[in-house]
Amino acid sequence: MAKYGYLGLGIMGRGMALNLVNAGHDVVVWNRSSEKCDELVAAGATKGSSPAEVVASCDITFACVSDPEASKALVFGENGVLEGVAGGKAYVDMSTIDPGTAQTIGAAIVEAGGRYLEAPVSGSKGPAENGTLILLAAGERALFDEAEPAFSVMGKKSVFLGEVGQGARMKLVVNMIMGTMMTAFTEGMTLAEKANLSTQDLLDVLDAGAMSNPMFRGKGPLMQKESFATAFPLKHAQKDMRLALLLGDELAHGMPTVAASNEVFKKARNKGLGDSDFSSVYLASKD
Ligand code: NA7
């Protein structure tokens, strides 16, 4: 059985790494703030001393960190991934980053003698914990096939999308749709309130029709209670809107709806909601 590494034990990485351990795999973990490794070690993982050491001691190392800057720090930093990949070690970055950063990282890993796959995931805390993420992979096809035993534990569906960058692009398209859906939803909820409509009636009407979806069904009742426990940090949702807009910019593709939605997320960050769930954009829509 392959030995796996996992770097980055935030909301997403924690769930995925725990699922690998609980499925009986041999897993070595590392996180910048080392105390986050304790729960994993208690569950049966081994704690690694640095990204380089984890990658060098495992067959395939997965990573899930905040944003492009964090992904680059993990790979190019001191004792980083790049220092451990020689001899064909495999590295799978599951963070949501821009395609250019994924390509820069992928090329550097291969140049240093390693193997690379990007595999950003669709789904937040719950799917990470119960292994129902959707993995959007691109890069080395053979590595995608080799990683399947791990992917099948972390997710319910894995798709292979071609060359490095295509996974990032797909993820940004998906999250741009999700973000704009969320701001339209919160504006509808707050408009209903101001129009003296019952938000429960609105949720019931939406759920009975063609717009019924798990996100409205799950987040709607929480919005009514202004309960924003973090499943997907708002700062990461806004990062994805920003990166999607940059992709649109590169391709000269107009996205006025996304641009407007991004402004609402920026306003929410400015209100101090960056670490709350992205559905707390509701509070910015209320003004
Ligand atoms: P979290 O819960 O905010 O976790 C972020 C993780 O990234 C956490 O392990 C951080 O370590 C790590 N991080 C952040 N910056 C760095 C640097 N510079 N170097 C190393 N590690 C770093 O995010 P989620 O788990 O919800 O999301 C992760 C990704 O999936 C993100 O791209 C989302 O958009 C989707 P820390 O614990 O702070 O030391």
Side-chain angles (χ1 to χ4, degrees):
M1 208 148 76
K3 186 172 172 183
Y4 297 130
Y6 211 105
L7 311 176
L9 304 172
I11 293 172
M12 300 301 289
R14 171 190 168 273
M16 288 188 260
L18 268 174
N19 281 334
L20 288 174
V21 173
N22 291 337
H25 292 291
D26 191 0
V27 183
V28 184
V29 295
W30 178 90
N31 192 69
R32 181 179 60 174
S33 318
S34 69
E35 70 276 4
K36 286 189 189 163
C37 294
D38 296 349
E39 181 187 5
L40 273 295
V41 170
T46 308
K47 187 170 171 174
S49 60
S50 70
E53 189 260 323
V54 173
V55 171
S57 69
C58 295
D59 301 301
I60 305 178
T61 297
F62 303 93
C64 192
V65 292
S66 311
D67 53 22
E69 288 66 39
S71 275
K72 281 188 279 193
L74 206 54
V75 173
F76 299 111
E78 199 181 336
N79 293 318
V81 170
L82 210 54
E83 294 178 32
V85 292
K89 296 297 182 178
Y91 183 60
V92 181
D93 192 347
M94 309 183 86
S95 320
T96 300
I97 57 178
D98 60 289
T101 300
Q103 284 161 342
T104 300
I105 290 174
I109 298 273
V110 170
E111 167 88 359
R115 304 167 67 199
Y116 183 72
L117 198 69
E118 59 173 344
V121 294
S122 184
S124 60
K125 186 170 190 270
E129 286 175 350
N130 61 33
T132 56
L133 294 165
I134 302 161
L135 286 78
L136 309 172
E140 189 195 312
R141 173 74 216 205
L143 177 52
F144 175 74
D145 295 332
E146 281 171 45
E148 179 51 29
F151 285 170
S152 64
V153 167
M154 296 189 271
K156 65 178 177 185
K157 184 178 175 71
S158 309
V159 290
F160 184 77
L161 297 161
E163 291 180 359
V164 175
Q166 292 302 80
R169 291 187 183 96
M170 181 64 87
K171 176 67 200 280
L172 295 178
V173 171
V174 168
N175 271 24
M176 157 213 118
I177 295 171
M178 183 174 72
T180 49
M181 275 176 70
M182 180 55 84
T183 51
F185 184 42
T186 58
E187 284 176 19
M189 287 285 280
T190 48
L191 179 63
E193 282 166 26
K194 287 179 183 171
N196 290 324
L197 290 163
S198 147
T199 54
Q200 190 54 53
D201 286 343
L202 173 62
L203 294 179
D204 292 343
V205 170
L206 286 172
D207 202 42
M211 278 181 288
S212 170
N213 68 71
M215 186 171 88
F216 290 178
R217 205 175 305 128
K219 299 294 186 188
L222 295 173
M223 261 173 221
Q224 288 176 312
K225 291 187 277 185
E226 299 202 1
S227 166
F228 301 115
T230 311
F232 178 37
L234 186 140
K235 64 186 176 192
H236 294 334
Q238 197 266 318
K239 174 251 311 177
D240 296 349
M241 302 298 271
R242 181 172 71 242
L243 297 179
L245 285 165
L246 283 173
L247 180 60
D249 198 55
E250 273 170 34
L251 299 172
H253 179 63
M255 302 197 292
T257 310
V258 183
S261 172
N262 183 46
E263 291 303 314
V264 190
F265 278 108
K266 277 162 62 180
K267 190 170 146 195
R269 267 184 61 200
N270 186 255
K271 285 171 85 76
L273 296 167
D275 289 318
S276 300
D277 190 65
F278 81 126
S279 55
S280 67
V281 73
Y282 167 86
L283 297 175
S285 299
K286 265 189 131 171
D287 297 348

